[in-house]
Amino acid sequence: MKNNRFLRPLIVFSIPVLILVLLAAPHVWTTVTGNEIQLKTVPVDPTDLFRGSYVDLHYEIESVDSSLLDDSARSLLINKNRGDYKNVYVQLQQNNTGLYEAALVTLEKPHKGTYLKGRLHIPYDTTNSSLQIKYGLDNF
């Protein structure tokens, strides 16, 4: 009985700590095992009534040309509903300045090379050659 008196608070206090560790584990794993890449940013300098003047950074690879789509990703523009999002993989290549830029957009996960997983926004107007991909890099 005496063991239960000390075991119960230990279990109760260890559960929140365990949950926090489990939430942080994927981000720590990415930091430890991932490769560092440098991306070109596109600054946007908006003014908001409530926030005032601030800087909002976007990555250049968030806007890709439709010519970078492979055949499987290109079929999305025809077959999917407009306004939907579809998971895609963007293969990156390093240019001569050391920055990475988009080389190919595909639905299949590449087996080698540097790539990012993103969500392709299927546009309502398919005549536009620029497509938007969200990576979630600003959330990390």
Side-chain angles (χ1 to χ4, degrees):
M1 286 212 187
K2 201 169 195 178
N3 288 341
N4 279 343
R5 192 161 57 168
F6 294 112
L7 186 62
R8 284 183 184 173
L10 180 66
I11 291 173
V12 168
F13 290 118
S14 66
I15 290 175
V17 172
L18 182 64
I19 290 173
L20 290 174
V21 168
L22 290 176
L23 288 174
H27 299 291
V28 171
W29 180 255
T30 300
T31 303
V32 170
T33 62
N35 296 330
E36 183 177 321
I37 61 172
Q38 294 180 352
L39 301 172
K40 186 173 183 181
T41 58
V42 181
V44 179
D45 195 11
T47 301
D48 188 283
L49 179 63
F50 297 107
R51 289 189 271 188
S53 295
Y54 63 97
V55 175
D56 187 17
L57 293 177
H58 294 278
Y59 297 100
E60 191 175 77
I61 62 170
E62 288 181 339
S63 179
V64 297
D65 193 60
S66 61
S67 64
L68 296 178
L69 297 174
D70 71 348
D71 292 335
S72 63
R74 193 177 308 275
S75 68
L76 290 175
L77 299 178
I78 300 168
N79 298 334
K80 286 296 265 185
N81 293 333
R82 307 291 182 235
D84 281 351
Y85 287 90
K86 182 69 177 171
N87 289 335
V88 293
Y89 295 92
V90 180
Q91 289 183 335
L92 302 174
Q93 68 181 9
Q94 194 172 17
N95 62 17
N96 54 2
T97 62
L99 298 175
Y100 283 82
E101 46 191 35
L104 181 69
V105 179
T106 181
L107 294 178
E108 294 85 25
K109 183 177 180 178
H111 297 294
K112 61 180 181 174
T114 305
Y115 64 90
L116 288 173
K117 183 178 179 181
R119 294 178 52 82
L120 172 68
H121 179 254
I122 310 294
Y124 290 101
D125 180 18
T126 57
T127 60
N128 190 358
S129 66
S130 180
L131 301 171
Q132 299 299 313
I133 299 176
K134 294 293 181 189
Y135 298 98
L137 296 174
D138 51 351
N139 298 334
F140 182 63

